Structure formats: structure tokens, C-alpha cells
Amino acid sequence: MKRIVIKVGSHVLSDESKISEQRIAKLCEFLASLMNKFEVILVSSGAINAGRIKSNIEKTSIINRQILASIGQPYLMEIYEKAMAKFDILTAQVLLTAGDFDSRKSTNYAKGLIDGLLENKILPIINENDATGIAEIVFGDNDRLSAGVANYFNADLLVILSDIDGYYDKNPSEFNDAKIRSEVNFISPDELAIPQNAGSKMGTGGITTKLKAANFLLENGKEMFLASGFDLSVARDFLLHGVQNGGTIFRRKSKSLDENFLPQQNSDF
């Protein structure tokens, strides 16, 4: 059975003032269907935004964001637990920082835990330990963390569900004729140097952090798929039916389609 990592960003999980339990419910329904076919690991942002629901503390400093994450993480897990219980699936919280991948011993311990959870059909829900992981509060919205999870925990594919529905050939906010690049095999240094910007007030990532995540996986011979988290139909078709109706697949050129995660079945979009 193939192993996949699903990463969902803060903006997808949040409305402007609260966590969207309706979106989480749809996401969990999707995850439950995926677990019939794959070993699934979820990397979920959203703890800080969840904390804002429980407290009127503003995200005006790193300390405040740490406080909000500490308040919001158990609330976020409670929502996931209730949503997945409808499908008789247990969830488990795993908090990591990028530093956990700097030590072979720490990485092996974490991988052993993930392997055990998956063997028992339990959904691991990984988040950055924002109470201590300062760097992730400032940069990335878990994009780079999810790439590390995919690489070091032996996943075949990382799927990023985002407010960004694919990687365009030019900035779609500036050019009406911008088109999604259905497949990317190489990311240039200039692309990796695109100024970082957040997709929304509720998120901290942008296309740059996603390109860095994709580049890391390409360098390690793995694949990443970027698609909308608001409309799950593209990711559903890609993962469950082997049809690419949108989004961007990042993968190395292969001599055999069998070496790829899924057949190339791209549409014009």
C-alpha cells in the first residue's frame, strides 16, 4: 500500500474569524476515503487560528502566537477527532519541529511511531510544535515540515491542499492569461527566490514555501501534488481515479510511467 502525506493550510481550514468545521468535515470525509486505498498521514496547520476562537489575544507577537497555538492545538484536535469518529477512525496527535529531522535518532523514533499508527489504521495528525518551533510561526505554514514528513517517513507523495490551486506560468493576480503548469520537473533558483507572501490573513505560507517543499522532494526523488483545498474534486480525481483535471504535479522526468506515482492523464485547463 502506498503512503501519502496530505498537508492542509490555515486558510483552507479557516474563515476570516473562525475555524470552519464544515470544511474540516469535508476534508475528513475525503481522508476516510483515501484511507481505504493508502496509508495516510495528515499535516495540519490551524492551531494558532483555532486559538483565536478561544481567546481574544491578537497575533501581534511571537509570544502571542505561541500562546494561541498552545490554546488552539487541543481544540483543533478535538474537531478532527469528532469528525473522523463518524468514520470509526481514531486520530493521534504528533507535534514535531524541523529540528526533529536533524537527529537520526529522533527521526527514527518519530518514524517508528508513525509506522505503528498506520499499521493500526490510526490517522496521524502532525503539526508544528508552535509553542517552541519559532521558525515555523514566522515562515512556511507547515509546507517545509510536510516535505520533511514525506521524505523521512517514506511517503510516496506529498499532496498540498491550499488556497493556491496550482503553480502558474505567471502571477495569476497580475495576468489574466496565466495558466496552471500541469507538470513541473525542475524548479530554477530564480523561482525559488520569488518574494515570499502569505495567501491570506489566516495563513503564513505562499507559493515560495510550496516551491521550496517541492524542490526538496524533487532532489530526494519524491513527488508533490499542489491543488485547491477549497474544492477537493481535483485532488480526489487525482488520487482515487488517476485523472489530473487540475493542480500541478512536481516530479522528475521518468523513462517509464510505472515509475511515477500515477499515470500522466493531464487535461487542458
Side-chain angles (χ1 to χ4, degrees):
M1 178 178 287
K2 288 185 180 292
R3 179 174 295 187
I4 64 174
V5 176
I6 304 293
K7 184 268 174 178
V8 61
S10 298
H11 190 196
V12 172
L13 299 179
S14 307
D15 291 325
E16 284 302 312
S17 60
K18 63 180 181 180
I19 290 289
S20 174
E21 294 192 30
Q22 182 179 12
R23 285 187 201 149
I24 291 182
K26 290 182 178 179
L27 172 65
C28 288
E29 181 181 7
F30 179 46
L31 294 173
S33 64
L34 292 178
M35 290 178 72
N36 292 321
K37 184 177 181 180
F38 306 107
E39 292 182 337
V40 178
I41 302 168
L42 175 64
V43 176
S44 174
S45 301
I48 293 175
N49 291 336
R52 294 183 68 192
I53 298 172
K54 296 290 187 178
S55 170
N56 58 4
I57 295 173
E58 296 293 333
K59 298 193 299 182
T60 53
S61 68
I62 289 179
I63 290 295
N64 280 7
R65 293 184 182 190
Q66 289 176 286
I67 293 171
L68 289 169
S70 299
I71 295 169
Q73 183 62 34
Y75 174 51
L76 181 64
M77 285 302 302
E78 179 184 348
I79 297 173
Y80 274 122
E81 180 182 12
K82 290 180 178 178
M84 294 306 297
K86 295 179 180 178
F87 305 99
D88 295 321
I89 295 173
L90 288 175
T91 61
Q93 172 182 272
V94 181
L95 297 178
L96 298 174
T97 65
D100 289 315
F101 297 128
D102 292 336
S103 163
R104 180 176 297 179
K105 181 182 291 186
S106 296
T107 301
N108 287 338
Y109 282 146
K111 182 180 181 299
L113 169 62
I114 296 298
D115 289 345
L117 291 170
L118 294 175
E119 287 173 7
N120 286 280
K121 309 299 182 183
I122 298 169
L123 175 67
I125 301 179
I126 298 175
N127 197 355
E128 173 77 13
N129 188 359
D130 285 334
T132 59
I134 303 301
E136 198 63 30
I137 289 179
V138 180
F139 304 108
D141 199 32
N142 278 339
D143 292 327
R144 287 175 290 181
L145 177 67
S146 64
V149 168
N151 183 57
Y152 295 112
F153 296 164
N154 291 346
D156 300 281
L157 177 74
L158 167 63
V159 178
I160 292 185
L161 302 175
S162 177
D163 56 337
I164 301 171
D165 60 351
Y167 183 35
Y168 286 77
D169 58 359
K170 61 184 76 173
N171 190 336
S173 64
E174 298 179 8
F175 300 95
N176 294 329
D177 61 344
K179 295 181 179 179
I180 290 179
R181 298 172 62 182
S182 61
E183 179 170 336
V184 173
N185 309 117
F186 172 79
I187 303 172
S188 71
D190 287 343
E191 291 173 291
L192 294 173
I194 295 173
Q196 181 166 310
N197 65 294
S200 74
K201 295 179 181 178
M202 303 301 283
T204 59
I207 191 60
T208 306
T209 59
K210 291 163 181 59
L211 291 179
K212 289 179 178 179
N215 189 63
F216 172 79
L217 291 175
L218 287 174
E219 289 178 343
N220 286 278
K222 295 184 181 290
E223 302 180 3
M224 188 183 103
F225 185 61
L226 174 62
S228 172
F230 295 114
D231 178 3
L232 297 175
S233 62
V234 170
R236 185 183 300 274
D237 285 344
F238 185 77
L239 292 170
L240 296 179
H241 307 298
V243 176
Q244 186 178 354
N245 293 317
T248 302
I249 180 69
F250 297 84
R251 63 182 166 202
R252 288 182 174 180
K253 280 288 188 183
S254 176
K255 295 180 181 179
S256 170
L257 291 180
D258 293 337
E259 296 177 21
N260 292 324
F261 182 81
L262 289 171
Q264 293 175 288
Q265 299 185 25
N266 300 327
S267 303
D268 292 329
F269 49 84

